[in-house]
Amino acid sequence: MTIACTGLLLAAAHAHGQGVGRVVGRVIDASTGAGITSAAIELLGTRQGVLTSVDGPYVLSNVPAGQITLKVSSIGYSPKTIIGVVLTAGAVIEQDVSLNEEAVQLRALEVTAAAERGSVNRALDQQRTATGIVNAVTAEQISKSPDSDAAAAVQRIAGVTLMDNKYMQVRGLGERYTTTSLNGARIPSPEPEKKIVPLDLFPTAVIETITTSKTFTPDLSGDFSGAQVDIRTREFPAGRQQTISSSIGFNNRIAGRTLLQPPTRGLDWLALGGSERRLPGIVSSAGDFSRPISQSEMNAMVRSFHNAWSPRSDEGMPNTSLGGSVGGAGPVFGQHLSYVLSGTYSKGQEVRADEVRALAFPTDNGGTTETERFTGSTGRTSVLWGGVLNLSTLFGAHSRLAINSTYNRSADNEARQEIGFSDDDGVPLEIARLRYVERAVRSVQFLGEHELNRAHRLDWSVTTSGVVRREPDRSEVVYVIQLDPATNETLPPAWFSGEPQGAVRTFGDLTEDALEAKANYRINFGGTNAHSFKLGGLFRNSSRDADNRAYGITAYTLSQAEREKEPEAIFGGPLAQGDASVFRVSPLLQGGSYSATDNLFAGYGMFEFAATDNVRLIAGARVEHSEVEVDASPTIGDPVHTTPTYTDVLPALTINFLISDRQNLRFSVSQTLSRPEYRELAPVTYRDVLGGDVIVGNAGLVRSRIRNADLRWELYPNAGEIISLALFAKKFVDPIERVYLATSGTRVITFVNAEGANNYGAEIEFRKQLGGWWETLAPITASVNATIMHSDITVEDAGRFNDKRAMVGQAPYVVNAGLTYAHPSGNASATVLYNVVGKRIYSAGEAPLPDVFEQPRHGLDLSLRFPVVNALSAKLDVRNLLDAPYELRQGVAIREFYRSGRIISAGISWRP
């Protein structure tokens, strides 16, 4: 795909015009942020001028190069003159303009302003004029950071943390309280046990903005409390643009070192290796093995499994990436069409060095001790590629139709080797695991925006989306390390042949498809859009099929010498031929399947009322009716059918006070909810090999209800600057918690409804250009955001779980800080970014065990951007400079520990 995209880019290159350029932008209402249709844009000193189209965009073509002045006017608004705009020959510049409502009806008040440009300014303008509390990270900010995917980029937002480097949590709430949409439409999750979409699926090269809405308004889906995240893909560029970029990177724990690596097959490099690892037909046809299976069939099953069990060692390789995009606008069959096509491909290696995992065991004095401790390492090869094709066209000046299409695909191919002592079995063990996980997300959206007249606006969209997750043919093999009873010397490791968990093949497959249709109608009335009423509806249908099958291979008659062979020699040799009576294959408990269908019907009404010139009320309610049907079929046991159905009324009230033209005060109260994920309702067991997590669903879960209150003060001293302080509080009824059960030998995880919980905290955000303090520091911008939070939970069975703890996922604090130097030319920048997340609860422990905590980690990243020659620029990034370890602790027991290394990368970009 990347090669084809690059060819398109090269074919699309063209010469810029001489002596003239273009000015493009958008005209918005300064108080509401809404686009203004039919506003007049005049190029003073000439006869040139245009009117804005639906939602405020405009294009001025053939503008003479040099310093120009624009005058913008619209009925009901004070005219504004923009001075100091410098246009070079052949260039295209973006100039957005905000207009204030006319202060005096009989006399227009004209305002003169200096030119303001930049997507950071646009994001802050969106934040300033938003109905609720929002934060955004933009393509401009991402371009100055080393972030390569949406997960890395989004953690720069106030109050945002990441779990497992991919799952977003906001304000200390677990990932279940955050929802993800793509271009405004919900996308399903490819994870079998989680509700949220892993954000590492979205490369930053295809992202325009990532917006988090932290307060609920009735025009948003009601199933969030932390935030609703909306990823907007690349927008149409100001003019014809082409970009090609490439990078190479090195990890200090990989480069020049020997790394555990899995065997590869077929199209692994394209994340298309799942089909070659699919479940063999002879094993699938045996079903639950309830019918008699002959020995020859057993042997055929063993031979049908791909004979790959052992990791290999090889020298580490560099990380590479390649991307390209082309965009612009032009006539197609007589219709003006805007377009953007973007594609990216990356391949890299990751490591978990100094890896440790163990279980916690309670002691008599109320403490803990480690048991089942294993040490080792994991090597992983990751592939991520994706593309965006967005098209848009205008029908007259008042209607816009668009198609947004996105496809992203990733694969992780990993090998893990570890050694440790099994207290359950009383022997030291050596475990090897090969695991391949393939994920894909697709979305195609059709949308329309219509300005029926100045007072009436209609927008609608229909989106079809889907996800696929395949974890085919995972292999796990366990060897026992024994002593010779005669000599007391250590014998070579021998296969744990009499244990069903001694050799396991697991096949997992998940697909989900969704269709979403929604429409919103807005009526403005009372002067210059002083008041408005908005109503709309949504229908979403989702269907998921998940199948997980695990098979154990045993052999009770093998000699010590035969068991000491490599697993490939054991399973690929004569022992599995003909009718040799050696191997037995049996389905394991950690298998099963489930299917789910979900229909959601929603409607809302929302009234925006300008009580005074400085006070605006937003009030309304949303009604959501949810019908979920889950059918679970465990490998062993009876099928389970559950049909939770809910109808919820979700009210919301927001009051926005305009203290001055640069200060806002926002107050909001609302009720939202959180529904169980399908997998959590399916009582199907899923487990890793010895010592791994056992996950069991709970068909009795009910949805959580949350009451939210927010207060936020905002100050915008200058363009691109903000100071804000927010307070928030949430009260939960029936919150869903992920808990560990106190069992020996394995870690059993399930999901329960607690009785209630409270969450509250404070959030500060600061972004300042330092030139206001000292002129020499004018090119430097400082930014910092910090959140402190606290939660407490009430558990119905207080004797079973700790009821004096925070909610799962709760961190007491989050801090992000950064310094950016931007050269006045705009062609060079240097950025330093820092992040720390406080000690947070990972899972709740069942008494007498304590809770599991993720320890704080300090992150430091550096990024340089600079021109090379003509249209060629370069970058240098350093990620994870401190290489702080990832560590989970339960009392004194280290549940998990590893380091991932420092990454240094360099890249070049060509943008004519």
Side-chain angles (χ1 to χ4, degrees):
M1 175 180 176
T2 305
I3 296 174
C5 183
T6 303
L8 285 173
L9 294 177
L10 294 174
H14 70 289
H16 290 291
Q18 300 295 320
V20 296
R22 300 171 71 204
V23 181
V24 302
R26 186 165 175 255
V27 180
I28 64 171
D29 185 306
S31 62
T32 67
I36 300 174
T37 305
S38 300
I41 314 292
E42 299 178 62
L43 181 61
L44 295 186
T46 73
R47 294 185 177 181
Q48 289 181 257
V50 294
L51 295 177
T52 57
S53 56
V54 59
D55 209 28
Y58 72 91
V59 178
L60 271 172
S61 302
N62 298 317
V63 177
Q67 184 164 309
I68 62 175
T69 301
L70 300 175
K71 182 175 181 180
V72 185
S73 59
S74 181
I75 297 174
Y77 292 91
S78 299
K80 179 179 282 189
T81 301
I82 308 297
I83 62 175
V85 180
V86 178
L87 176 66
T88 58
V92 180
I93 61 173
E94 295 184 49
Q95 180 61 63
D96 294 336
V97 182
S98 60
L99 297 182
N100 295 301
E101 293 182 14
E102 208 164 35
V104 182
Q105 295 296 321
L106 299 180
R107 179 175 59 87
L109 177 64
E110 185 168 321
V111 177
T112 301
E116 296 178 4
R117 298 199 303 272
S119 60
V120 172
N121 293 349
R122 181 182 297 178
L124 290 178
D125 222 26
Q126 177 188 358
Q127 182 172 319
R128 178 180 61 84
T129 59
T131 300
I133 296 175
V134 302
N135 292 97
V137 59
T138 68
E140 179 184 333
Q141 292 165 289
I142 293 171
S143 69
K144 295 176 181 177
S145 76
D147 302 331
S148 59
D149 56 55
V154 78
Q155 67 178 332
R156 313 297 181 187
I157 294 176
V160 172
T161 61
L162 290 180
M163 188 71 78
D164 299 332
N165 294 319
K166 64 181 75 172
Y167 305 113
M168 178 178 171
Q169 297 182 340
V170 180
R171 290 178 168 177
L173 299 176
E175 65 267 12
R176 72 172 61 255
Y177 300 109
T178 299
T179 60
T180 304
S181 60
L182 184 66
N183 296 315
R186 182 71 57 84
I187 50 178
S189 171
E191 300 302 315
E193 290 99 25
K194 294 183 181 292
K195 178 181 178 181
I196 193 171
V197 175
L199 295 181
D200 63 340
L201 267 176
F202 300 94
T204 52
V206 302
I207 295 173
E208 186 71 24
T209 60
I210 306 173
T211 302
T212 60
S213 299
K214 296 180 180 178
T215 58
F216 169 70
T217 53
D219 55 346
L220 299 176
S221 291
D223 54 342
F224 78 92
S225 181
Q228 177 172 285
V229 182
D230 187 31
I231 300 172
R232 294 282 172 175
T233 53
R234 293 283 299 273
E235 292 183 352
F236 315 108
R240 179 81 169 195
Q241 291 182 0
Q242 308 92 40
T243 304
I244 298 176
S245 61
S246 181
S247 69
I248 185 169
F250 300 88
N251 186 315
N252 72 308
R253 292 185 177 271
I254 295 177
R257 301 192 184 190
T258 300
L259 181 71
L260 279 182
Q261 296 185 23
T264 58
R265 303 190 67 185
L267 297 177
D268 285 2
W269 65 280
L270 280 178
L272 294 169
S275 59
E276 297 194 23
R277 295 175 169 87
R278 61 182 176 269
L279 178 66
I282 189 173
V283 182
S284 177
S285 63
D288 60 0
F289 283 54
S290 57
R291 67 173 178 84
I293 308 293
S294 68
Q295 185 61 54
S296 61
E297 285 182 281
M298 291 283 185
N299 291 343
M301 288 180 186
V302 173
R303 296 195 306 272
S304 71
F305 294 129
H306 180 52
N307 194 27
W309 299 85
S310 306
R312 59 186 177 88
S313 297
D314 208 344
E315 186 174 347
M317 300 293 291
N319 303 331
T320 58
S321 70
L322 178 65
S325 65
V326 59
V332 176
F333 301 114
Q335 184 68 35
H336 191 78
L337 184 71
S338 298
Y339 62 91
V340 61
L341 170 65
S342 180
T344 181
Y345 174 89
S346 63
K347 183 179 181 181
Q349 291 184 333
E350 303 171 35
V351 66
R352 291 187 173 186
D354 308 326
E355 199 166 22
V356 178
R357 71 170 176 88
L359 298 179
F361 191 78
T363 60
D364 294 336
N365 60 2
T368 59
T369 185
E370 279 191 351
T371 183
E372 304 285 328
R373 180 184 174 93
F374 284 79
T375 60
S377 65
T378 298
R380 176 187 297 162
T381 300
S382 297
V383 171
L384 172 63
W385 60 268
V388 167
L389 175 60
N390 293 345
L391 305 172
S392 176
T393 187
L394 293 173
F395 286 88
H398 299 279
S399 291
R400 183 174 80 94
L401 298 180
I403 299 175
N404 298 324
S405 56
T406 304
Y407 185 84
N408 294 313
R409 192 173 191 92
S410 73
D412 296 321
N413 195 8
E414 71 176 36
R416 179 170 179 166
Q417 190 99 36
E418 57 186 0
I419 187 169
F421 190 86
S422 171
D423 293 301
D424 247 14
D425 299 295
V427 292
L429 300 176
E430 188 178 279
I431 302 176
R433 182 179 72 182
L434 302 178
R435 185 180 187 223
Y436 177 88
V437 180
E438 190 175 279
R439 300 175 298 176
V441 174
R442 60 168 174 80
S443 174
V444 179
Q445 180 184 71
F446 303 88
L447 63 89
E449 298 173 345
H450 310 277
E451 291 275 2
L452 305 181
N453 56 45
R454 190 175 182 85
H456 297 263
R457 176 185 172 87
L458 170 68
D459 64 78
W460 55 268
S461 66
V462 177
T463 306
T464 174
S465 59
V467 295
V468 173
R469 184 187 189 274
R470 292 192 173 93
E471 188 178 348
D473 201 15
R474 179 176 62 180
S475 71
E476 295 148 323
V477 63
V478 181
Y479 273 59
V480 181
I481 303 173
Q482 296 177 317
L483 296 178
D484 188 325
T487 65
N488 206 33
E489 294 180 353
T490 302
L491 295 173
W495 173 40
F496 204 177
S497 59
E499 166 62 46
Q501 299 290 336
V504 178
R505 304 304 282 248
T506 304
F507 300 83
D509 201 358
L510 181 150
T511 60
E512 183 172 345
D513 296 295
L515 175 66
E516 178 178 295
K518 65 179 182 179
N520 303 284
Y521 190 82
R522 182 184 181 107
I523 305 171
N524 298 318
F525 57 93
T528 310
N529 301 332
H531 318 298
S532 69
F533 180 72
K534 188 176 180 181
L535 71 162
L538 175 145
F539 168 73
R540 182 167 62 244
N541 169 263
S542 302
S543 60
R544 171 182 284 196
D545 288 294
D547 184 63
N548 190 76
R549 306 188 188 189
Y551 304 91
I553 305 175
T554 53
Y556 296 96
T557 60
L558 288 182
S559 66
Q560 178 73 17
E562 289 172 322
R563 292 170 52 228
E564 290 175 359
K565 295 180 180 179
E566 294 291 325
E568 288 79 8
I570 296 175
F571 301 110
L575 299 177
Q577 300 298 321
D579 294 327
S581 185
V582 176
F583 295 116
R584 298 294 299 173
V585 179
S586 57
L588 300 180
L589 180 62
Q590 62 259 36
S593 62
Y594 71 93
S595 62
T597 58
D598 185 356
N599 290 314
L600 178 69
F601 305 86
Y604 75 90
M606 186 171 78
F607 182 64
E608 295 187 41
F609 177 74
T612 69
D613 290 342
N614 298 324
V615 179
R616 194 169 190 88
L617 282 72
I618 301 95
R622 185 180 185 90
V623 179
E624 291 195 351
H625 177 74
S626 170
E627 299 174 353
V628 177
E629 185 173 351
V630 178
D631 290 288
S633 301
T635 301
I636 300 174
D638 297 327
V640 177
H641 179 77
T642 181
T643 57
T645 301
Y646 302 104
T647 299
D648 292 281
V649 178
L650 306 174
L653 170 66
T654 299
I655 305 175
N656 291 332
F657 300 90
L658 181 63
I659 301 174
S660 71
D661 60 345
R662 296 183 179 183
Q663 287 190 74
N664 290 332
L665 182 64
R666 305 177 188 272
F667 173 72
S668 174
V669 290
S670 64
Q671 178 161 317
T672 56
L673 54 85
S674 176
R675 303 182 184 93
E677 201 276 333
Y678 311 131
R679 172 63 181 83
E680 295 170 352
L681 291 167
V684 175
T685 303
Y686 178 86
R687 180 165 86 87
D688 285 346
V689 76
L690 295 172
D693 287 339
V694 176
I695 301 171
V696 183
N698 178 2
L701 290 176
V702 299
R703 54 94 170 86
S704 307
R705 289 162 293 168
I706 310 106
R707 295 175 183 173
N708 312 278
D710 291 85
L711 178 66
R712 174 163 164 153
W713 168 78
E714 302 168 348
L715 172 65
Y716 299 87
N718 298 292
E721 298 180 351
I722 182 176
I723 303 172
S724 71
L725 175 64
L727 303 175
F728 60 88
K730 302 176 186 296
K731 184 176 181 62
F732 294 78
V733 178
D734 299 323
I736 300 172
E737 292 282 280
R738 182 180 190 263
V739 298
Y740 275 110
L741 302 182
T743 60
S744 61
T746 57
R747 298 180 286 186
V748 179
I749 294 174
T750 191
F751 308 92
V752 299
N753 284 110
E755 185 176 330
N758 298 299
N759 170 265
Y760 49 90
E763 200 171 76
I764 187 171
E765 183 178 8
F766 175 86
R767 181 182 177 87
K768 174 68 177 175
Q769 295 173 347
L770 302 186
W773 295 341
W774 188 14
E775 189 175 349
T776 306
L777 300 179
I780 299 177
T781 299
S783 62
V784 63
N785 61 71
T787 304
I788 56 173
M789 47 215 155
H790 177 80
S791 66
D792 55 77
I793 191 164
T794 303
V795 182
E796 187 173 351
D797 189 354
R800 184 181 179 192
F801 299 105
N802 177 16
D803 65 342
K804 299 183 183 299
R805 63 169 173 85
M807 298 177 68
V808 170
Q810 167 76 67
Y813 63 87
V814 179
V815 178
N816 292 299
L819 282 175
T820 298
Y821 167 84
H823 191 271
S825 67
N827 295 327
S829 67
T831 302
V832 181
L833 297 169
Y834 169 79
N835 167 266
V836 63
V837 179
K839 178 181 176 181
R840 58 179 164 180
I841 184 168
Y842 181 83
S843 283
E846 185 179 24
L849 288 175
D851 302 320
V852 182
F853 286 92
E854 180 181 342
Q855 303 303 305
R857 279 187 296 164
H858 298 268
L860 187 64
D861 300 327
L862 308 176
S863 183
L864 297 176
R865 301 290 185 270
F866 52 91
V868 178
V869 60
N870 296 331
L872 200 64
S873 61
K875 66 177 183 178
L876 180 65
D877 296 327
V878 182
R879 284 182 287 158
N880 197 29
L881 185 62
L882 303 178
D883 195 16
Y886 174 85
E887 184 176 2
L888 294 180
R889 281 187 174 270
Q890 189 170 20
V892 300
I894 298 177
R895 297 299 301 264
E896 193 168 357
F897 178 97
Y898 63 84
R899 295 181 186 271
S900 55
R902 302 174 179 88
I903 300 174
I904 301 176
S905 63
I908 58 172
S909 297
W910 177 74
R911 184 175 181 176

